């Protein structure tokens, strides 16, 4: 089975529940070898403060993970963070990410500069734009984020597909350009199983991305995006099957480097 879950949240983000210890205990129960806490990063000037920890809570978050590492030697626990790419936040992110010994940094596009602020991208619906245009702007933002070199893993790559239309079918050329940029940046791509808990009933990115990820020789990670302890490792058996069919397997990270790659 998939041995890692590289996308776990904590109650600090205000929309997750359960103690961090409960997430660890569930991971052990599920037989996972390694997990990474990747809670939502604080953003400047209170941007989207409702969905993330404050800057003053970041030290405590890091310390809690170090404490859990000591208390649960039977599982490997990594220090990660889910960092939003948003145009204009680059130097803020660079400073913050360099201040802590992160094992991995997931890049997520939840907002797009120029779109109305204050909402997550998947709630966007622009009557004046086609799905293709919206996807185009989203992929453009992802590519810019990738090209900053600030992040390690492309998080939930087609999160925006709430309409159910495939990003790959709508914008294949641009998807390919984005993956090429990720390859050049030395990034991995996350297979995020949380979409199976939602109305879309597909992971992010959808499994039709797998042959493309192989084609571009992109390393992958797997994450549940758990916001409750019960969601740790959820639906991993589906990814396990799909990956084995493609002869793909997740890589591991330490101190922001891929430490091995098994294909
Ligand atoms: Zn969240
Ligand atoms: Zn996210």
């Amino acid at each position: 089975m998939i041995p890692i879950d590289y996308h776990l949240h904590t109650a600090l983000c205000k929309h997750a529940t359960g103690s961090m210890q409960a997430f660890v205990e569930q991971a052990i129960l599920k037989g996972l070898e390694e997990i990474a806490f990747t809670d939502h990063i604080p953003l400047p000037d209170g941007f989207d403060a409702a969905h993330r920890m404050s800057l003053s809570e970041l030290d405590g978050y890091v310390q809690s993970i170090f404490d859990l590492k000591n208390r649960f030697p039977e599982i490997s626990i990594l220090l990660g963070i889910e960092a939003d790419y948003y145009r204009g936040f680059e130097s803020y992110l660079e400073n913050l990410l360099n201040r802590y010994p992160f094992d991995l940094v997931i890049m997520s596009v939840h907002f797009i500069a120029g779109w109305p602020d204050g909402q997550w991208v998947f709630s966007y619906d622009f009557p004046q734009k086609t799905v293709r245009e919206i996807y185009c702007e989203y992929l453009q933002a992802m590519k810019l984020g990738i090209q900053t070199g600030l992040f390690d893993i492309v998080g939930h790559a087609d999160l925006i597909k709430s309409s159910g239309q495939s990003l790959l079918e709508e914008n294949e050329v641009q998807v390919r350009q984005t993956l090429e940029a990720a390859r050049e940046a030395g990034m991995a791509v996350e297979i995020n199983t949380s979409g199976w808990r939602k109305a879309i009933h597909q992971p992010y990115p959808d499994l039709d991305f797998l042959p493309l990820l192989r084609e571009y020789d992109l390393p992958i990670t797997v994450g549940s995006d758990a916001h409750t302890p019960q969601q740790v490792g959820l639906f991993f058996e589906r990814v396990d099957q799909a990956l084995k069919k493609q002869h793909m397997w997740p890589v591991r990270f330490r101190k922001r480097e891929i430490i091995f790659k098994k294909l």
Side-chain angles (χ1 to χ4, degrees):
M1 261 302 277
I2 305 286
I4 60 159
D5 187 341
Y6 273 8
H7 198 142
L8 305 181
H9 289 280
T10 81
L12 284 170
C13 72
K14 309 175 189 84
H15 60 280
T17 54
S19 67
M20 290 171 80
Q21 178 176 329
F23 282 75
V24 173
E25 286 167 347
Q26 179 71 0
I28 294 169
L29 206 65
K30 284 255 174 177
L32 293 169
E33 292 170 16
E34 183 162 286
I35 54 172
F37 282 99
T38 55
D39 212 358
H40 299 285
I41 198 168
L43 291 175
D45 307 320
F47 189 96
D48 189 48
H51 297 110
R52 56 200 63 248
M53 69 180 95
S54 67
L55 195 53
S56 62
E57 289 171 314
L58 189 50
D59 280 349
Y61 166 74
V62 171
Q63 192 53 52
S64 301
I65 292 166
F66 287 144
D67 292 346
L68 288 166
K69 266 177 187 286
N70 288 329
R71 284 174 48 218
F72 293 93
E74 60 271 53
I75 186 166
S76 165
I77 304 175
L78 302 185
L79 172 62
I81 198 132
E82 179 175 11
D84 300 70
Y85 169 67
Y86 187 86
R87 207 173 63 223
F89 288 177
E90 293 86 349
S91 58
Y92 166 90
L93 288 172
E94 187 174 8
N95 280 324
L96 199 57
L97 294 174
N98 284 332
R99 221 184 288 164
Y100 297 90
F102 290 113
D103 288 304
L104 58 98
V105 177
I106 297 176
M107 180 195 87
S108 289
V109 173
H110 293 123
F111 313 94
I112 304 223
W115 289 8
D117 291 345
Q119 290 180 72
W120 296 77
V121 282
F122 48 73
S123 64
Y124 276 87
D125 181 20
F126 298 111
Q128 75 279 22
K129 286 183 186 173
T130 64
V131 169
R132 188 184 158 81
E133 286 166 340
I134 296 169
Y135 285 3
C136 183
E137 291 175 21
Y138 178 75
L139 285 162
Q140 182 60 26
M142 287 228 300
K143 192 170 151 205
L144 286 174
I146 288 165
Q147 289 172 335
T148 63
L150 290 171
F151 314 98
D152 307 317
I153 300 170
V154 178
H156 46 58
D158 64 356
L159 181 69
I160 198 168
K161 64 179 173 186
S162 55
S163 62
Q165 276 157 281
S166 158
L167 236 67
L168 203 50
E169 280 168 29
E170 292 287 330
N171 300 52
E172 180 171 346
V173 171
Q174 225 189 332
V175 167
R176 284 180 172 276
Q177 288 166 353
T178 308
L179 296 181
E180 177 61 29
R183 200 187 56 76
E184 280 168 19
M187 290 178 76
V189 175
E190 169 191 72
I191 312 298
N192 183 312
T193 62
S194 70
W196 272 313
R197 311 195 297 260
K198 298 175 186 161
I200 193 90
H201 292 303
Q202 291 171 2
Y204 307 114
D206 196 8
L207 296 177
D208 62 359
F209 270 64
L210 293 183
L212 265 193
L213 298 178
R214 257 193 92 180
E215 186 184 324
Y216 285 88
D217 198 24
L218 282 160
I220 55 148
T221 63
V222 180
S224 64
D225 213 339
H227 284 72
T228 70
Q230 294 71 32
Q231 291 168 351
V232 175
L234 199 60
F235 301 121
F236 276 21
E237 61 290 344
R238 299 181 189 182
V239 179
D240 187 73
Q241 279 180 7
L243 290 183
K244 281 176 181 155
K245 249 184 242 168
Q246 296 291 333
H247 306 286
M248 296 169 81
W249 204 240
V251 294
R252 311 272 184 122
F253 273 85
R254 287 288 183 288
K255 304 273 180 268
R256 312 205 51 191
E257 298 281 345
I258 292 171
I259 55 167
F260 73 83
K261 183 172 165 182
K262 180 179 158 197
L263 285 174

